[in-house]
């Protein structure tokens, strides 16, 4: 029809990339799929930035080409947009020393911020902090138990396991 083709929106690029990555409705092509996901991430699409962070942190590690600092950068870009997954993953990076120095205080603050958006894994991580004696908190097991019970009430399965370990 002669109309100029517009580049896909970042969300569409991201979801098409995911489909290509896992061969859902498209022929699996990791190279092309990651190019689409990276393009969406570079256009400030927060879910794509989280996926790129996960890719850099985990999948590259399997190839012995750790890109932990790049993972943190992608997570931070998503966190800067108030994306709860991005905020949570930045906290994980600080809590585990992934791509940055280990800093439990900073990790805790990121978990808290993600939790305020209803992010259940962040709340679970905060419960684990108390179980592990974060900042020498007295009664950490009781605080953790309360958090786990709140999560179990929301039917969050990973919290059920944590709660079972307490009994």
């Amino acid at each position: 029809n002669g109309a100029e083709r517009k580049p896909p929106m970042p969300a569409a690029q991201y979801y098409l990339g995911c489909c290509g990555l896992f061969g859902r409705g498209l022929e699996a092509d990791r190279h092309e799929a990651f190019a689409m996901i990276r393009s969406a991430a570079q256009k400030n699409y927060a879910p794509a930035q989280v996926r790129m962070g996960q890719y850099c942190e985990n999948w590259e590690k399997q190839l012995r080409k750790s890109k932990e600092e790049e993972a943190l950068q992608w997570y931070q870009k998503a966190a800067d947009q108030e994306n709860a997954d991005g905020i949570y993953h930045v906290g994980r990076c600080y809590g585990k020393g992934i791509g940055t120095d280990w800093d439990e205080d900073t990790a805790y603050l990121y978990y808290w911020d993600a939790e305020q958006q209803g992010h259940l894994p962040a709340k679970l991580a905060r419960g684990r902090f108390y179980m592990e004696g974060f900042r020498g908190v007295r009664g950490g097991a009781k605080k953790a138990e309360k958090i786990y019970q709140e999560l179990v009430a929301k039917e969050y399965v990973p919290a059920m396991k944590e709660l079972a370990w307490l009994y």
Side-chain angles (χ1 to χ4, degrees):
N1 67 15
E4 190 173 318
R5 190 170 171 207
K6 291 183 179 180
M9 296 182 306
Q13 275 186 306
Y14 170 68
Y15 288 110
L16 281 171
C18 289
C19 288
L21 185 64
F22 301 110
R24 294 186 183 136
L26 299 171
E27 186 176 323
D29 181 346
R30 283 189 181 275
H31 180 72
E32 181 66 26
F34 278 113
M36 293 175 86
I37 293 169
R38 181 180 291 275
S39 177
Q42 290 169 335
K43 292 174 184 167
N44 271 345
Y45 187 62
Q49 292 168 332
V50 171
R51 174 71 68 188
M52 285 303 301
Q54 291 169 330
Y55 169 71
C56 292
E57 180 185 346
N58 298 314
W59 297 326
E60 284 291 327
K61 208 179 255 187
Q62 292 173 3
L63 301 172
R64 302 288 185 239
K65 297 178 187 172
S66 180
K67 292 185 168 187
E68 292 180 347
E69 289 177 7
E70 185 178 349
L72 176 59
Q73 290 170 359
W74 284 117
Y75 293 143
Q76 187 64 60
K77 286 178 186 227
D80 290 346
Q81 297 178 66
E82 301 297 320
N83 177 274
D85 278 338
I87 294 167
Y88 164 74
H89 282 291
V90 171
R92 273 188 59 255
C93 287
Y94 279 100
K96 296 179 182 265
I98 297 169
T100 187
D101 292 333
W102 175 79
D103 183 341
E104 70 179 4
D105 291 326
T106 301
Y108 184 88
L109 293 173
Y110 274 98
Y111 289 148
W112 176 261
D113 287 347
E115 182 184 339
Q116 298 313 297
Q117 293 187 35
H119 197 273
L120 301 182
K123 187 168 189 156
L124 182 67
R126 211 168 52 83
R128 288 179 178 147
F129 262 57
Y130 287 121
M131 278 303 298
E132 295 168 6
F134 172 65
R135 293 175 139 184
V137 172
R138 294 180 194 262
K142 286 288 181 197
K143 288 183 179 193
E145 180 179 11
K146 182 177 184 237
I147 289 171
Y148 297 156
Q149 287 172 341
E150 290 170 4
L151 289 167
V152 167
K154 294 179 181 183
E155 299 181 7
Y156 186 59
V157 174
M160 294 175 189
K161 176 183 160 192
E162 298 293 332
L163 191 59
W165 281 105
L166 291 176
Y167 298 111

